[in-house]
Amino acid sequence: MYNEMNGGDGWKMSKCHEPSSSVEEANGGDNMEGEGHLKKGPWTSAEDAILMEYVQKHGEGNWNAVQKYSGLARCGKSCRLRWANHLRPDLKKGAFTQDEERKIIELHAKMGNKWARMAAELPGRTDNEIKNYWNTRMKRRQRAGLPIYPPDICQRMLDNSEESPNVGSLMNGDNQHSDLSPEDNFNIPDVEFKNLKFPRAYPPYGPTIFNVPEISMFEQSAASSYSYNMMFPTIPHKQLQKSDTSYNSLDVSIGAAVPEFNHYADYSCQKVADLPKLSSPCIPNLNTNHQFHGSYLPGSHAGVNGNTSSVPISGDVKMELPSFQYLDTQRDFWGMRTSPVPSAESFDTLIQSPPADQTQLDPVSPQRNGLLESVVYGSKRKRGSKSNLFQKTADNCMPRSSTLNPCETEWEEPWDPISLIASVLTVHTPISMGSVDEPQSVETAQDHYGKHETVFQDLAYFPRKKEYVKQIDLTRPDGFFDLGWFGNPEDDGKDQSFLKDALGALGSAELIQSDLKACGFCETQY
DNA sequence: AACGTGATCAACCGCGCTCAC
DNA sequence: TGTGAGCGCGGTTGATCACGT
């Protein structure tokens, strides 16, 4: 029995391998595991009845005791899962409504693969349901070559990251992110950022820009096995390996650079939108046809200084960038405009060849970025109520996004110029394709924008920071430094080395061009 | 009707957390 | 402070269903 088992040998309930000496008729049959005949597999109605009766008598929690008191030959873990996913009286059955679907998309954009938290925002829905729905949807859209997030959501997130008053109040305790301190988010693994330092003071967006969970939204999605089409085209690992030296440098640098820029969401996209008008190493001359008219630093593989100061790190870092890259050119099934996206075939190719070592070095790994938040969140949750699931759920509803009207959801995602740069590159990437599931008018970026010089006009809806950009001389490679984007001016440039790393990395993005061409991702030009 | 393929969903598993001792 | 129990989360798997050929 239960007590006997726990008295023994360090056996852990979570392993679900506990033996059972009490098997009732509900437990009869097959799928009995091990000597103790713990049943696995689908639950029978008899088992459900036993479990429900138990919960009615004893309440939720102490799931390991279920076996003791009810004789149910299921491990506590299995009981909890069954109850939470199927037997809870407040569960909502049936397919997701449109509102719920929309909400899920928004929540995912907001918090990544935090299914439990998403479930807390969707009364009557379980994390498992949401997870399954999302994965299914992800697959479907991936196959269709559609962006994961509808452009309007991207747009709203961008808008709100700029204008929402909550952007600066993320640390004020009004939402789940309030648990994070900026310091927490400075904990970037040294191995990835030896030369990259965060400026500590960065008002007024300081706290926000280090809002890891927000950042994780795309990264996490991108990191999931279904998420590649929302990213900047992922260079197949094999392709990356073609030239170990340069690619290692490239993707490590990019990978190191991106999170840095991610954290500086306050210099808005508009700045980057202006980039084609300027010469900057931030926009490497990916365009062999000089559509950017930008001077590309000679030898920019090595960055601003002619060499990359990024610490060489072996391995690949997936270039995760948000689906914002599909900015404004086509319509998806939401009726929203989407952009040309690579062919489904291309995606399949890419999907089947994910970077193998992404988890090793990915500096924007959702596991890392979301970890602290998860911990904090989980901690709070557990402290809330241990016996009442419903109470726990209610306690953890995030205050501001509880509405089912997605239009009312406030987004807090910062936007990062690196992502946008990548988006620009993608927008500039004429790709012929067809959507499998959702045929759409396909036009190349060049078709759409007429002239490449105007491509950034479509990025102009990133508001406000335009004038900010204009204040600096972005015709110089070091123009960004003038703006103080990348470091606290008070630091006298001490912390600017990381920017040079980043710029160097972007300079290395020249290699991306050949990569993308090599893998057939882009047909003509950038 | 048989078969193959993809979608869906329930359940399992491993990991890591909190808490109590 | 260390250890184990209990629990929750996220990822994955496998069974089943639906649909097309």
Side-chain angles (χ1 to χ4, degrees):
Chain A
M1 291 295 284
Y2 181 78
N3 288 337
E4 297 167 352
M5 293 184 294
N6 286 338
D9 50 7
W11 159 89
K12 290 197 74 171
M13 189 64 210
S14 62
K15 303 297 182 186
C16 273
H17 290 160
E18 71 270 42
S20 169
S21 59
S22 174
V23 180
E24 296 184 352
E25 59 174 326
N27 306 321
D30 34 23
N31 291 328
M32 306 302 284
E33 187 184 67
E35 194 176 345
H37 305 293
L38 265 191
K39 191 182 177 188
K40 296 174 70 174
W43 281 64
T44 65
S45 55
E47 288 175 309
D48 284 345
I50 292 173
L51 181 57
M52 289 194 71
E53 184 182 349
Y54 171 84
V55 174
Q56 285 169 3
K57 281 184 181 176
H58 302 93
E60 298 178 47
N62 202 9
W63 295 110
N64 287 338
V66 173
Q67 191 186 33
K68 174 183 178 181
Y69 293 113
S70 69
L72 196 59
R74 295 277 185 171
C75 69
K77 205 172 190 176
S78 184
C79 292
R80 183 188 65 82
L81 198 69
R82 183 66 183 176
W83 173 259
N85 288 343
H86 298 280
L87 301 180
R88 274 165 47 197
D90 64 334
L91 281 182
K92 196 185 293 183
K93 302 291 183 181
F96 286 106
T97 66
Q98 280 192 332
D99 276 349
E100 287 174 325
E101 291 177 357
R102 183 76 174 182
K103 183 83 172 179
I104 290 170
I105 294 165
E106 292 184 346
L107 289 172
H108 190 276
K110 190 175 184 177
M111 55 181 72
N113 295 0
K114 301 299 179 186
W115 312 118
R117 287 178 54 187
M118 293 166 71
E121 300 264 336
L122 291 163
R125 299 298 185 178
T126 70
D127 53 355
N128 213 32
E129 269 184 297
I130 296 170
K131 180 169 56 180
N132 285 334
Y133 166 77
W134 182 261
N135 288 339
T136 299
R137 174 183 175 277
M138 185 87 73
K139 277 184 182 176
R140 191 166 53 239
R141 290 186 68 79
Q142 208 165 42
R143 187 174 297 109
L146 294 169
I148 297 304
Y149 300 105
D152 64 319
I153 285 182
C154 299
Q155 174 62 61
R156 182 159 357 95
M157 294 173 69
L158 293 177
D159 291 344
N160 284 322
S161 70
E162 289 271 338
E163 297 175 0
S164 170
N166 298 305
V167 165
S169 64
L170 293 176
M171 316 305 284
N172 292 344
D174 61 344
N175 60 23
Q176 76 279 15
H177 307 298
S178 62
D179 298 311
L180 297 175
S181 68
E183 288 73 18
D184 287 336
N185 296 305
F186 284 117
N187 289 334
I188 307 299
D190 288 344
V191 64
E192 295 153 3
F193 301 106
K194 284 180 180 175
N195 291 336
L196 306 182
K197 305 290 186 186
F198 288 110
R200 291 279 169 159
Y202 218 83
Y205 298 96
T208 302
I209 60 180
F210 292 98
N211 192 310
V212 171
E214 309 306 341
I215 293 165
S216 72
M217 86 179 203
F218 294 113
E219 298 153 357
Q220 181 138 3
S221 300
S224 86
S225 56
Y226 298 121
S227 309
Y228 294 98
N229 73 335
M230 61 169 289
M231 299 180 290
F232 187 81
T234 303
I235 299 173
H237 189 58
K238 289 178 182 177
Q239 300 266 356
L240 287 170
Q241 289 179 322
K242 286 190 300 187
S243 172
D244 289 343
T245 302
S246 51
Y247 285 134
N248 281 344
S249 173
L250 165 65
D251 50 19
V252 166
S253 299
I254 291 286
V258 168
E260 304 300 327
F261 284 92
N262 271 337
H263 287 99
Y264 287 89
D266 71 308
Y267 51 89
S268 77
C269 311
Q270 183 52 55
K271 290 175 183 171
V272 186
D274 288 343
L275 285 176
K277 303 168 188 169
L278 49 91
S279 303
S280 167
C282 277
I283 297 291
N285 190 4
L286 300 181
N287 170 19
T288 55
N289 294 332
H290 308 290
Q291 288 134 346
F292 282 127
H293 302 293
S295 66
Y296 170 56
L297 287 181
S300 63
H301 297 79
V304 176
N305 296 332
N307 57 54
T308 174
S309 58
S310 296
V311 177
I313 304 171
S314 61
D316 295 327
V317 177
K318 175 177 57 186
M319 291 182 296
E320 299 178 352
L321 290 169
S323 59
F324 291 1
Q325 58 188 296
Y326 310 121
L327 283 174
D328 198 14
T329 60
Q330 293 181 313
R331 291 185 183 276
D332 65 4
F333 68 89
W334 276 285
M336 305 306 297
R337 289 197 293 173
T338 65
S339 292
V341 288
S343 67
E345 291 74 14
S346 298
F347 273 120
D348 287 344
T349 302
L350 295 172
I351 291 164
Q352 290 161 7
S353 304
D357 298 328
Q358 56 188 280
T359 58
Q360 179 183 354
L361 289 165
D362 186 356
V364 291
S365 165
Q367 305 304 331
R368 294 177 184 174
N369 279 342
L371 180 59
L372 178 59
E373 181 197 30
S374 301
V375 169
V376 172
Y377 175 85
S379 175
K380 287 187 66 176
R381 181 180 54 245
K382 287 190 175 183
R383 279 192 287 269
S385 169
K386 200 165 185 176
S387 61
N388 191 320
L389 176 66
F390 312 126
Q391 182 61 44
K392 276 188 287 187
T393 299
D395 286 346
N396 289 286
C397 287
M398 287 180 289
R400 290 185 304 99
S401 299
S402 57
T403 173
L404 283 178
N405 179 2
C407 296
E408 297 301 317
T409 302
E410 297 177 45
W411 296 96
E412 298 149 3
E413 264 59 46
W415 180 240
D416 58 282
I418 290 296
S419 297
L420 183 60
I421 290 169
S423 299
V424 168
L425 301 181
T426 307
V427 168
H428 259 286
T429 303
I431 298 165
S432 65
M433 67 157 291
S435 170
V436 175
D437 296 339
E438 300 158 40
Q440 46 189 292
S441 167
V442 177
E443 58 183 355
T444 66
Q446 186 154 4
D447 290 338
H448 179 72
Y449 293 107
K451 294 194 299 182
H452 288 286
E453 285 79 0
T454 63
V455 62
F456 293 92
Q457 290 175 0
D458 271 40
L459 302 175
Y461 55 56
F462 303 112
R464 280 210 287 195
K465 297 296 171 58
K466 181 182 292 183
E467 63 278 3
Y468 197 31
V469 175
K470 290 177 179 174
Q471 296 172 4
I472 62 170
D473 180 5
L474 292 173
T475 62
R476 293 186 289 118
D478 59 345
F480 289 103
F481 294 101
D482 294 351
L483 195 55
W485 286 354
F486 306 107
N488 184 352
E490 296 176 1
D491 289 342
D492 295 327
K494 283 182 298 187
D495 289 340
Q496 292 181 358
S497 61
F498 85 89
L499 172 61
K500 295 181 180 180
D501 286 320
L503 296 180
L506 281 171
S508 299
E510 177 189 43
L511 295 175
I512 297 173
Q513 180 183 22
S514 56
D515 254 329
L516 297 179
K517 285 184 175 178
C519 66
F521 205 93
C522 307
E523 295 177 357
T524 54
Q525 57 196 358
Y526 297 89

